[in-house]
Each structure stands twice: as C-alpha cells, then as structure tokens.
Amino acid sequence: MSNRTFTMIKPDAVRAGHIGNILEKITNAGFKIVAMKLTQLSADKAGAFYAVHKERPFYQELVDFMSSGPIVAAVLEKENAVEDFRKLIGATNPAEAAPGTIRALYATNVGENAVHGSDSDENATIESNFHFAGCDMYAY
Ligand code: DAT
Ligand code: MG
C-alpha cells in the first residue's frame, strides 16, 4: 500500500477563496504536503488528465470547467493516503457527501466539486507524475 496520493483544489474552490480552508482540513487530517503548486490547466491538459472519462456525457463540461481557472495541485503523504483522502473529500456529488467532508463543505455541485483525489495507488503515481514529473518532493 502506498503512502501518497494526488489532489487538486479545483477552479470553483480557488475562485471562492477556499484554498486556505481546504489546505487546513487536509493538514489537520494528518496529511503532509510533499509537493504543491498553483497552476492552470490548458483544455488539452485537462482533457488528457481526465481521458478515462472521454466517453462520458459530462466530459466536455469537465474539461471546460477544469481549464476555466487556476487550480492547486499537490502530492500528499500519509499512511493509507489514497483511501483516507477519499474519505476526507466525500462523495463525488456533494449532496451525497458525508457531513464535514471537504466536498460537503465547499463543493458547488457534482460537476464543480471543489477537490480531486486519486482513486488508486496506481493512479496516484500517474497523476502525481502528470503534474510533478522531474520536480522535487520534500519529506519532513
Ligand atoms: P471523483 O472525482 O469523485 O473521482 P469521477 O472520477 O467519477 O469522480 O469523475 C471525475 C469528475 O467528473 C468529478 O469529480 C466531476 C465530474 N463528474 C462526475 N460525474 C459527473 C456527473 N454526473 N455530471 C457532471 N460531472 C460529473
Ligand atoms: Mg475519479
């Protein structure tokens, strides 16, 4: 089991001024930020990141949204990181997200849902490399 996962604070939450609140939830839950940047995805890069969803009806909407403004991309470290982070963010649809989860607190709707979290160790590695290949990670 890996001890790292990958997250993005999505454009809706960045625009709403929630970067600080969300990072506080993440660090209070015991995750260490080992790499982080503020960046903006081009439509091409957003499309590539979410390529697994390209046959879904919401794909174009997702690509447009994810490239609509800046995001915070980060690699997080904690024991059981992938599973614990998915619990911390809550269900994809904030209407179904458990109380106190990041999506329950900060997501707008199922499409604009404040944060991304990797769904497997394999995807955590792929997604971390997508944003941070060649970048240093910091242990502390
Ligand atoms: P998650 O982000 O919880 O892993 P996912 O991988 O199924 O969810 O979908 C990726 C993103 O696509 C999700 O965060 C928001 C968008 N999305 C998913 N289902 C959607 C829907 N029914 N309508 C609009 N956007 C949706
Ligand atoms: Mg997913």
Side-chain angles (χ1 to χ4, degrees):
M1 185 170 299
S2 162
N3 60 348
R4 285 187 176 172
T5 191
F6 171 78
T7 188
M8 295 183 284
I9 302 176
K10 297 186 180 184
D12 60 324
V14 172
R15 274 193 287 270
H18 293 318
I19 293 174
N21 293 328
I22 291 172
L23 292 179
E24 185 177 36
K25 290 281 292 179
I26 290 170
T27 51
N28 283 349
F31 292 88
K32 287 180 181 172
I33 298 164
V34 298
M36 184 165 68
K37 66 181 171 187
L38 184 73
T39 186
Q40 183 162 350
L41 292 170
S42 64
D44 278 358
K45 281 205 88 173
F49 186 90
Y50 284 108
V52 66
H53 295 302
K54 67 175 177 289
E55 305 306 331
R56 310 281 283 277
F58 55 80
Y59 178 68
Q60 191 57 51
E61 186 187 327
L62 176 62
V63 169
D64 290 347
F65 166 60
M66 286 303 297
S67 58
S68 70
I71 61 165
V72 174
V75 180
L76 306 175
E77 193 172 270
K78 182 185 181 297
E79 211 175 286
N80 202 33
V82 165
E83 193 184 331
D84 286 0
F85 192 69
R86 293 293 304 204
K87 277 191 198 132
L88 180 67
I89 69 177
T92 306
N93 184 346
E96 293 161 11
T101 58
I102 292 174
R103 281 169 166 167
L105 290 166
Y106 300 116
T108 312
N109 56 54
V110 66
E112 305 200 357
N113 58 7
V115 281
H116 170 82
S118 305
D119 62 6
S120 65
D121 289 350
E122 186 191 3
N123 283 334
T125 300
I126 292 168
E127 292 170 1
S128 296
N129 286 336
F130 188 94
H131 285 271
F132 292 104
C135 297
D136 289 329
M137 308 252 166
Y138 299 91
Y140 55 95

CSV table of all heavy atoms in Angstrom, one decimal, residues 38-75:
chain,number,residue,atom,x,y,z
A,38,LEU,N,0.4,26.3,-7.6
A,38,LEU,CA,-0.7,26.9,-8.2
A,38,LEU,C,-0.5,26.9,-9.7
A,38,LEU,O,0.6,27.4,-10.1
A,38,LEU,CB,-0.9,28.3,-7.6
A,38,LEU,CG,-2.1,29.1,-8.1
A,38,LEU,CD1,-3.4,28.6,-7.4
A,38,LEU,CD2,-1.9,30.6,-7.8
A,39,THR,N,-1.4,26.4,-10.5
A,39,THR,CA,-1.2,26.4,-11.9
A,39,THR,C,-2.6,26.4,-12.6
A,39,THR,O,-3.6,26.5,-11.9
A,39,THR,CB,-0.5,25.0,-12.2
A,39,THR,OG1,-0.1,25.0,-13.6
A,39,THR,CG2,-1.3,23.8,-11.9
A,40,GLN,N,-2.6,26.5,-13.9
A,40,GLN,CA,-3.8,26.4,-14.7
A,40,GLN,C,-3.7,25.4,-15.8
A,40,GLN,O,-2.7,25.5,-16.5
A,40,GLN,CB,-4.2,27.8,-15.2
A,40,GLN,CG,-5.6,27.7,-15.9
A,40,GLN,CD,-6.3,29.1,-16.1
A,40,GLN,OE1,-5.8,30.1,-15.5
A,40,GLN,NE2,-7.3,29.1,-16.9
A,41,LEU,N,-4.6,24.5,-15.9
A,41,LEU,CA,-4.6,23.5,-17.0
A,41,LEU,C,-5.1,24.1,-18.3
A,41,LEU,O,-6.1,24.8,-18.3
A,41,LEU,CB,-5.5,22.3,-16.6
A,41,LEU,CG,-5.0,21.5,-15.4
A,41,LEU,CD1,-6.2,20.5,-15.1
A,41,LEU,CD2,-3.8,20.7,-15.8
A,42,SER,N,-4.4,23.8,-19.4
A,42,SER,CA,-5.0,24.1,-20.7
A,42,SER,C,-6.1,23.1,-20.9
A,42,SER,O,-6.2,22.1,-20.2
A,42,SER,CB,-3.9,23.9,-21.8
A,42,SER,OG,-3.5,22.6,-21.8
A,43,ALA,N,-7.0,23.4,-21.9
A,43,ALA,CA,-8.0,22.4,-22.2
A,43,ALA,C,-7.4,21.1,-22.7
A,43,ALA,O,-7.9,20.0,-22.3
A,43,ALA,CB,-8.9,23.0,-23.3
A,44,ASP,N,-6.3,21.1,-23.4
A,44,ASP,CA,-5.7,19.9,-23.8
A,44,ASP,C,-5.2,19.1,-22.6
A,44,ASP,O,-5.3,17.9,-22.6
A,44,ASP,CB,-4.4,20.2,-24.7
A,44,ASP,CG,-4.9,20.4,-26.2
A,44,ASP,OD1,-6.1,20.3,-26.5
A,44,ASP,OD2,-4.0,20.8,-27.0
A,45,LYS,N,-4.6,19.8,-21.7
A,45,LYS,CA,-4.0,19.0,-20.5
A,45,LYS,C,-5.2,18.5,-19.6
A,45,LYS,O,-5.1,17.4,-19.1
A,45,LYS,CB,-3.1,20.0,-19.7
A,45,LYS,CG,-1.7,20.1,-20.3
A,45,LYS,CD,-0.6,20.4,-19.2
A,45,LYS,CE,-0.1,19.1,-18.6
A,45,LYS,NZ,1.1,19.4,-17.7
A,46,ALA,N,-6.2,19.3,-19.4
A,46,ALA,CA,-7.4,18.8,-18.7
A,46,ALA,C,-8.0,17.6,-19.4
A,46,ALA,O,-8.4,16.6,-18.7
A,46,ALA,CB,-8.4,20.0,-18.5
A,47,GLY,N,-8.1,17.7,-20.7
A,47,GLY,CA,-8.6,16.5,-21.4
A,47,GLY,C,-7.8,15.3,-21.3
A,47,GLY,O,-8.3,14.2,-21.1
A,48,ALA,N,-6.5,15.5,-21.2
A,48,ALA,CA,-5.6,14.3,-21.1
A,48,ALA,C,-5.7,13.8,-19.6
A,48,ALA,O,-5.7,12.6,-19.4
A,48,ALA,CB,-4.1,14.7,-21.4
A,49,PHE,N,-5.7,14.7,-18.7
A,49,PHE,CA,-5.8,14.2,-17.3
A,49,PHE,C,-7.1,13.4,-17.0
A,49,PHE,O,-7.0,12.3,-16.3
A,49,PHE,CB,-5.9,15.4,-16.3
A,49,PHE,CG,-5.8,15.0,-14.9
A,49,PHE,CD1,-4.6,14.9,-14.2
A,49,PHE,CD2,-7.0,14.8,-14.1
A,49,PHE,CE1,-4.5,14.5,-12.9
A,49,PHE,CE2,-6.9,14.4,-12.8
A,49,PHE,CZ,-5.7,14.2,-12.2
A,50,TYR,N,-8.2,13.8,-17.7
A,50,TYR,CA,-9.5,13.1,-17.5
A,50,TYR,C,-9.8,12.1,-18.7
A,50,TYR,O,-11.0,11.8,-18.8
A,50,TYR,CB,-10.6,14.1,-17.2
A,50,TYR,CG,-10.6,14.7,-15.8
A,50,TYR,CD1,-10.2,16.0,-15.6
A,50,TYR,CD2,-11.0,13.9,-14.7
A,50,TYR,CE1,-10.2,16.5,-14.3
A,50,TYR,CE2,-10.9,14.4,-13.4
A,50,TYR,CZ,-10.6,15.7,-13.2
A,50,TYR,OH,-10.5,16.2,-11.9
A,51,ALA,N,-8.8,11.7,-19.4
A,51,ALA,CA,-9.0,10.9,-20.6
A,51,ALA,C,-9.9,9.7,-20.3
A,51,ALA,O,-10.7,9.2,-21.2
A,51,ALA,CB,-7.7,10.5,-21.3
A,52,VAL,N,-9.8,9.1,-19.1
A,52,VAL,CA,-10.5,7.9,-18.8
A,52,VAL,C,-12.0,8.2,-18.9
A,52,VAL,O,-12.8,7.2,-19.0
A,52,VAL,CB,-10.1,7.4,-17.4
A,52,VAL,CG1,-10.5,8.4,-16.3
A,52,VAL,CG2,-10.7,6.0,-17.1
A,53,HIS,N,-12.4,9.4,-18.8
A,53,HIS,CA,-13.9,9.8,-18.8
A,53,HIS,C,-14.3,10.3,-20.2
A,53,HIS,O,-15.4,10.8,-20.3
A,53,HIS,CB,-14.2,10.9,-17.8
A,53,HIS,CG,-14.0,10.5,-16.4
A,53,HIS,ND1,-14.7,9.4,-15.8
A,53,HIS,CD2,-13.2,11.0,-15.4
A,53,HIS,CE1,-14.3,9.3,-14.5
A,53,HIS,NE2,-13.4,10.2,-14.3
A,54,LYS,N,-13.5,10.1,-21.3
A,54,LYS,CA,-13.8,10.8,-22.5
A,54,LYS,C,-15.1,10.3,-23.2
A,54,LYS,O,-15.7,11.1,-24.0
A,54,LYS,CB,-12.7,10.9,-23.5
A,54,LYS,CG,-12.1,9.6,-24.1
A,54,LYS,CD,-11.0,10.0,-25.1
A,54,LYS,CE,-10.4,8.7,-25.7
A,54,LYS,NZ,-9.6,8.0,-24.7
A,55,GLU,N,-15.6,9.1,-22.9
A,55,GLU,CA,-16.9,8.7,-23.5
A,55,GLU,C,-18.1,9.1,-22.6
A,55,GLU,O,-19.2,8.9,-23.0
A,55,GLU,CB,-16.9,7.2,-23.6
A,55,GLU,CG,-15.7,6.6,-24.4
A,55,GLU,CD,-15.6,7.2,-25.8
A,55,GLU,OE1,-16.6,7.7,-26.4
A,55,GLU,OE2,-14.4,7.3,-26.3
A,56,ARG,N,-17.8,9.7,-21.5
A,56,ARG,CA,-19.0,10.1,-20.6
A,56,ARG,C,-19.6,11.4,-21.1
A,56,ARG,O,-19.0,12.3,-21.7
A,56,ARG,CB,-18.4,10.3,-19.1
A,56,ARG,CG,-17.6,9.2,-18.6
A,56,ARG,CD,-18.4,8.0,-18.1
A,56,ARG,NE,-19.0,8.2,-16.8
A,56,ARG,CZ,-18.4,8.1,-15.7
A,56,ARG,NH1,-17.2,7.7,-15.6
A,56,ARG,NH2,-19.1,8.3,-14.5
A,57,PRO,N,-20.9,11.5,-20.8
A,57,PRO,CA,-21.6,12.7,-21.4
A,57,PRO,C,-21.1,14.0,-20.8
A,57,PRO,O,-21.3,15.1,-21.4
A,57,PRO,CB,-23.1,12.5,-20.9
A,57,PRO,CG,-23.1,11.4,-19.9
A,57,PRO,CD,-21.8,10.6,-20.2
A,58,PHE,N,-20.5,14.0,-19.6
A,58,PHE,CA,-20.1,15.2,-19.0
A,58,PHE,C,-18.6,15.6,-19.3
A,58,PHE,O,-18.1,16.6,-18.7
A,58,PHE,CB,-20.3,15.1,-17.4
A,58,PHE,CG,-19.6,14.0,-16.8
A,58,PHE,CD1,-18.2,14.0,-16.5
A,58,PHE,CD2,-20.3,12.8,-16.5
A,58,PHE,CE1,-17.6,12.9,-15.9
A,58,PHE,CE2,-19.7,11.7,-15.9
A,58,PHE,CZ,-18.3,11.8,-15.6
A,59,TYR,N,-18.0,14.8,-20.2
A,59,TYR,CA,-16.6,15.0,-20.4
A,59,TYR,C,-16.2,16.5,-20.8
A,59,TYR,O,-15.3,17.1,-20.3
A,59,TYR,CB,-16.1,14.0,-21.5
A,59,TYR,CG,-14.6,14.2,-21.8
A,59,TYR,CD1,-13.6,13.9,-20.9
A,59,TYR,CD2,-14.2,14.6,-23.1
A,59,TYR,CE1,-12.3,14.0,-21.2
A,59,TYR,CE2,-12.9,14.7,-23.4
A,59,TYR,CZ,-11.9,14.4,-22.5
A,59,TYR,OH,-10.6,14.5,-22.8
A,60,GLN,N,-16.9,17.0,-21.8
A,60,GLN,CA,-16.6,18.3,-22.4
A,60,GLN,C,-16.8,19.4,-21.3
A,60,GLN,O,-15.9,20.3,-21.1
A,60,GLN,CB,-17.4,18.7,-23.6
A,60,GLN,CG,-16.9,19.9,-24.3
A,60,GLN,CD,-15.4,19.8,-24.7
A,60,GLN,OE1,-15.0,18.9,-25.3
A,60,GLN,NE2,-14.6,20.8,-24.4
A,61,GLU,N,-17.9,19.3,-20.5
A,61,GLU,CA,-18.2,20.2,-19.4
A,61,GLU,C,-17.0,20.1,-18.4
A,61,GLU,O,-16.6,21.1,-17.8
A,61,GLU,CB,-19.5,19.7,-18.8
A,61,GLU,CG,-20.1,20.5,-17.7
A,61,GLU,CD,-21.3,19.8,-17.1
A,61,GLU,OE1,-22.0,19.0,-17.9
A,61,GLU,OE2,-21.6,19.9,-15.9
A,62,LEU,N,-16.6,18.9,-18.1
A,62,LEU,CA,-15.5,18.7,-17.1
A,62,LEU,C,-14.2,19.3,-17.6
A,62,LEU,O,-13.5,20.0,-16.8
A,62,LEU,CB,-15.3,17.2,-16.9
A,62,LEU,CG,-14.2,16.7,-16.0
A,62,LEU,CD1,-14.4,17.2,-14.6
A,62,LEU,CD2,-14.1,15.1,-16.1
A,63,VAL,N,-13.9,19.2,-18.9
A,63,VAL,CA,-12.7,19.8,-19.4
A,63,VAL,C,-12.8,21.3,-19.4
A,63,VAL,O,-11.8,22.0,-19.0
A,63,VAL,CB,-12.4,19.2,-20.9
A,63,VAL,CG1,-11.3,20.0,-21.6
A,63,VAL,CG2,-12.1,17.7,-20.8
A,64,ASP,N,-13.9,21.8,-19.8
A,64,ASP,CA,-14.1,23.3,-19.8
A,64,ASP,C,-13.9,23.8,-18.4
A,64,ASP,O,-13.3,24.8,-18.2
A,64,ASP,CB,-15.5,23.7,-20.3
A,64,ASP,CG,-15.6,23.4,-21.8
A,64,ASP,OD1,-14.6,23.2,-22.5
A,64,ASP,OD2,-16.8,23.4,-22.3
A,65,PHE,N,-14.6,23.2,-17.4
A,65,PHE,CA,-14.5,23.6,-16.0
A,65,PHE,C,-13.1,23.5,-15.5
A,65,PHE,O,-12.6,24.5,-14.9
A,65,PHE,CB,-15.5,22.8,-15.2
A,65,PHE,CG,-15.2,22.9,-13.7
A,65,PHE,CD1,-15.3,24.2,-13.1
A,65,PHE,CD2,-14.9,21.8,-12.9
A,65,PHE,CE1,-15.1,24.3,-11.7
A,65,PHE,CE2,-14.6,22.0,-11.6
A,65,PHE,CZ,-14.7,23.2,-11.0
A,66,MET,N,-12.4,22.4,-15.7
A,66,MET,CA,-11.1,22.2,-15.1
A,66,MET,C,-10.0,23.1,-15.7
A,66,MET,O,-9.0,23.3,-15.1
A,66,MET,CB,-10.7,20.7,-15.2
A,66,MET,CG,-11.4,19.8,-14.2
A,66,MET,SD,-11.3,20.3,-12.5
A,66,MET,CE,-9.5,20.1,-12.2
A,67,SER,N,-10.3,23.7,-16.9
A,67,SER,CA,-9.4,24.6,-17.5
A,67,SER,C,-9.8,26.0,-17.4
A,67,SER,O,-9.2,26.9,-17.9
A,67,SER,CB,-9.2,24.2,-19.0
A,67,SER,OG,-10.4,24.3,-19.7
A,68,SER,N,-10.9,26.3,-16.6
A,68,SER,CA,-11.5,27.6,-16.5
A,68,SER,C,-10.8,28.6,-15.6
A,68,SER,O,-11.1,29.8,-15.6
A,68,SER,CB,-13.0,27.5,-16.1
A,68,SER,OG,-13.0,27.1,-14.7
A,69,GLY,N,-9.9,28.1,-14.8
A,69,GLY,CA,-9.2,29.0,-13.9
A,69,GLY,C,-8.1,28.2,-13.1
A,69,GLY,O,-7.9,27.0,-13.4
A,70,PRO,N,-7.3,28.9,-12.3
A,70,PRO,CA,-6.3,28.3,-11.6
A,70,PRO,C,-6.7,27.2,-10.6
A,70,PRO,O,-7.8,27.2,-10.1
A,70,PRO,CB,-5.5,29.4,-10.8
A,70,PRO,CG,-6.4,30.6,-10.9
A,70,PRO,CD,-7.4,30.4,-12.0
A,71,ILE,N,-5.8,26.2,-10.4
A,71,ILE,CA,-6.0,25.1,-9.5
A,71,ILE,C,-4.8,25.0,-8.6
A,71,ILE,O,-3.7,25.6,-8.9
A,71,ILE,CB,-6.2,23.7,-10.2
A,71,ILE,CG1,-4.9,23.4,-11.0
A,71,ILE,CG2,-7.4,23.7,-11.1
A,71,ILE,CD1,-4.8,22.0,-11.5
A,72,VAL,N,-4.9,24.4,-7.5
A,72,VAL,CA,-3.8,24.0,-6.7
A,72,VAL,C,-3.6,22.5,-6.8
A,72,VAL,O,-4.5,21.7,-6.6
A,72,VAL,CB,-4.0,24.3,-5.2
A,72,VAL,CG1,-2.8,23.8,-4.3
A,72,VAL,CG2,-4.1,25.8,-5.0
A,73,ALA,N,-2.4,22.1,-7.3
A,73,ALA,CA,-2.1,20.7,-7.4
A,73,ALA,C,-1.1,20.3,-6.3
A,73,ALA,O,-0.2,21.1,-6.0
A,73,ALA,CB,-1.5,20.4,-8.8
A,74,ALA,N,-1.3,19.1,-5.7
A,74,ALA,CA,-0.4,18.8,-4.6
A,74,ALA,C,-0.3,17.3,-4.5
A,74,ALA,O,-1.2,16.5,-4.8
A,74,ALA,CB,-0.9,19.4,-3.3
A,75,VAL,N,0.8,16.8,-4.0
A,75,VAL,CA,1.1,15.4,-3.6
A,75,VAL,C,1.0,15.4,-2.1
A,75,VAL,O,1.7,16.2,-1.4
A,75,VAL,CB,2.4,14.9,-4.1
A,75,VAL,CG1,2.6,13.4,-3.7
A,75,VAL,CG2,2.4,15.0,-5.7
